[in-house]
Amino acid sequence: QSALTQPPSASGSPGQSVTISCTGTSSDVGGYNYVSWYQQHPGKAPKLMIYEVSKRPSGVPDRFSGSKSGNTASLTVSGLQAEDEADYYCSSYAGSQEVFGGGTKLTVL
Amino acid sequence: QVQLVQSGAEVKKPGASVKVSCKASGYTFTSYGISWVRQAPGQGLEWMGWISAYNGNTNYAQKLQGRVTMTTDTSTSTAYMELRSLRSDDTAVYYCARGGDTAMVNYWGQGTLVTVSS
């Protein structure tokens, strides 16, 4: 199972919006509505931000949203804040397996 | 509150085995599965596998098949991950997390650093 493809970096100024893509195949992202997004700050455990493509766990700001089209999922962070600077990882169910993206480092300028 | 508390850091020699524990509290252990994810230094997340705490069913990453075993002890609400025939590229922080296999993974342990070095 190959890793999902994410851009290595993304950036935006405070208040702006940024979108991070996550491209897989019909065997993972395109085949199931079980795409998740995780935020990870340095030295910390990952934190679930989005699950099942577009659902937000309790406590996650509505500035974070997810979507999917075909084999590509996307995470959009609106109204960027300094604390959003972190690594972001997508993951997808792939039929008894799970696969992660390589991660995207989001920089708030 | 839900907590997953993992065992402490380990240093192992190549070829040895390591067993990491993950003690759950704050929820009904058998109602959720446990996923294991690792992260090599400076690298991304890698899914290792999942175990149902209800019936012990497992799914393992294909690249780890034959070297990894995941188990649970429902009497102590503890999950275990054993990795055998350790190599230097197994050096990583190992995380357990509640959920997986289509269920959301919304609680994570603090991570356990496993260092493989001669």
Side-chain angles (χ1 to χ4, degrees):
Chain A
Q1 194 71 41
S2 299
L4 306 177
T5 300
Q6 296 182 236
S9 64
S11 64
S13 299
Q16 290 186 330
S17 294
V18 64
T19 297
I20 299 170
S21 63
C22 169
T23 301
T25 68
S26 58
S27 297
D28 39 62
V29 174
Y32 305 93
N33 287 322
Y34 292 110
V35 175
S36 298
W37 289 91
Y38 299 91
Q39 176 191 68
Q40 187 180 35
H41 288 109
K44 301 294 189 182
K47 175 186 177 182
L48 180 67
M49 305 303 284
I50 296 288
Y51 68 103
E52 292 179 21
V53 176
S54 60
K55 297 179 180 179
R56 272 189 314 275
S58 173
V60 172
D62 60 6
R63 301 185 294 104
F64 291 85
S65 62
S67 62
K68 189 185 86 166
S69 177
N71 296 336
T72 298
S74 298
L75 172 72
T76 297
V77 186
S78 305
L80 272 175
Q81 298 182 3
E83 59 263 34
D84 299 333
E85 184 161 298
D87 293 325
Y88 290 84
Y89 295 90
C90 62
S91 74
S92 175
Y93 180 74
S96 79
Q97 301 278 297
E98 186 88 11
V99 61
F100 279 98
T104 297
K105 182 174 180 59
L106 175 60
T107 300
V108 180
L109 301 171
Chain B
Q1 72 284 19
V2 174
Q3 280 193 303
L4 299 173
V5 179
Q6 300 183 221
S7 48
E10 303 259 16
V11 179
K12 296 291 183 180
K13 292 194 182 303
S17 299
V18 69
K19 192 169 187 177
V20 179
S21 68
C22 170
K23 184 170 176 60
S25 62
Y27 71 97
T28 301
F29 183 67
T30 52
S31 294
Y32 298 86
I34 295 287
S35 295
W36 289 89
V37 175
R38 69 179 180 179
Q39 186 170 35
Q43 302 301 309
L45 302 175
E46 179 185 11
W47 181 79
M48 300 181 66
W50 168 88
I51 182 167
S52 166
Y54 174 71
N55 59 16
N57 286 350
T58 54
N59 292 323
Y60 298 139
Q62 291 165 356
K63 70 173 285 189
L64 296 175
Q65 287 274 3
R67 286 208 300 139
V68 68
T69 300
M70 295 175 187
T71 56
T72 59
D73 181 345
T74 56
S75 69
T76 60
S77 299
T78 302
Y80 299 91
M81 185 286 299
E82 181 180 33
L83 189 60
R84 300 176 293 278
S85 302
L86 289 168
R87 310 186 289 247
S88 58
D89 61 356
D90 291 318
T91 293
V93 175
Y94 288 74
Y95 293 102
C96 64
R98 190 188 82 168
D101 192 48
T102 76
M104 65 172 172
V105 178
N106 57 345
Y107 291 97
W108 292 69
Q110 83 275 20
T112 296
L113 175 61
V114 175
T115 302
V116 182
S117 174
S118 55

